[in-house]
Amino acid sequence: MKNLFSVFIIISLFCFGCSKNDSYMSSPQYSTSGNPRNPPPPNLPPATQYGANTYGCLVNGDEWLPQGNYTLPYVSCNFINGTLSIQANQVSSFGNQNIAINLTNVHSTGSHVLNPKLSGQNVYYLMFNKKYNCDSVTVGNLTMTRLDSNNRILSGTFYFDAIDSTTRYKIRSGRFDLRY
């Protein structure tokens, strides 16, 4: 009887004790409404709009935060005459990774489709010297939530798929709040 009870406890732990809440990964962007059923990813910076110099996203469900060193900045941001360039780097002993979003004709807040078929776009994920370009079938999006030329602040969210002939990386829940 004691062995039967122990087996019941062990099975109960496996059935009910192990659950993974990844609701934020099921949609391209998680809700920023504060809905507890769809919380932001745990260690990504919040989606702010005051020039906090933050950046983060998920790459295939894993948190991706920039890390730099003295030769390669962790994030660089430029905005000149409607041309936006955001480069985020992750430097490690295994090699470097980079997420780049380069767009032209950005003149206001709002939604911007990320599609390599549109001229003036260069969006990619670079992992250990292998480049994965933004997919033209599963188009992404960049939503500019603040574009403040007086205070030189750019804030927004983004998502896209980066692919080569055999591999797909899903860049999701991206957010930035940068000074340029």
Side-chain angles (χ1 to χ4, degrees):
M1 184 71 170
K2 187 177 181 181
N3 287 338
L4 184 60
F5 182 70
S6 298
V7 169
F8 176 74
I9 295 295
I10 291 172
I11 290 173
S12 295
L13 287 174
F14 280 112
C15 291
F16 302 109
C18 300
S19 68
K20 183 176 179 184
N21 180 4
D22 60 355
S23 62
Y24 61 87
M25 294 182 342
S26 62
S27 64
Q29 291 292 106
Y30 72 90
S31 170
T32 57
S33 65
N35 182 347
R37 293 180 182 260
N38 201 8
N43 292 319
L44 292 182
T48 57
Q49 297 182 17
Y50 56 88
N53 282 326
T54 57
Y55 180 102
C57 63
L58 299 175
V59 175
N60 286 351
D62 295 325
E63 292 171 355
W64 194 96
L65 299 171
Q67 300 170 347
N69 62 22
Y70 62 93
T71 60
L72 189 63
Y74 71 100
V75 177
S76 65
C77 176
N78 292 302
F79 184 71
I80 301 170
N81 297 326
T83 299
L84 170 68
S85 175
I86 300 172
Q87 305 280 329
N89 301 296
Q90 199 178 70
V91 179
S92 75
S93 59
F94 302 110
N96 298 342
Q97 296 180 43
N98 175 273
I99 296 176
I101 299 174
N102 301 292
L103 304 174
T104 58
N105 297 317
V106 177
H107 298 288
S108 63
T109 59
S111 181
H112 303 274
V113 173
L114 301 179
N115 185 338
K117 290 183 178 179
L118 300 174
S119 66
Q121 291 194 6
N122 186 17
V123 180
Y124 62 86
Y125 172 54
L126 183 69
M127 183 174 178
F128 312 130
N129 295 323
K130 182 151 175 67
K131 188 175 182 181
Y132 301 88
N133 289 304
C134 183
D135 185 12
S136 62
V137 176
T138 309
V139 296
N141 192 302
L142 179 138
T143 300
M144 187 72 67
T145 57
R146 181 170 182 189
L147 191 146
D148 184 339
S149 297
N150 292 330
N151 293 308
R152 301 176 55 88
I153 295 173
L154 295 172
S155 304
T157 59
F158 65 91
Y159 68 90
F160 65 94
D161 284 4
I163 63 168
D164 70 357
S165 59
T166 60
T167 307
R168 174 178 301 273
Y169 288 96
K170 294 184 177 197
I171 313 299
R172 298 291 187 267
S173 297
R175 76 277 320 282
F176 57 92
D177 183 17
L178 301 169
R179 293 186 178 270
Y180 64 95

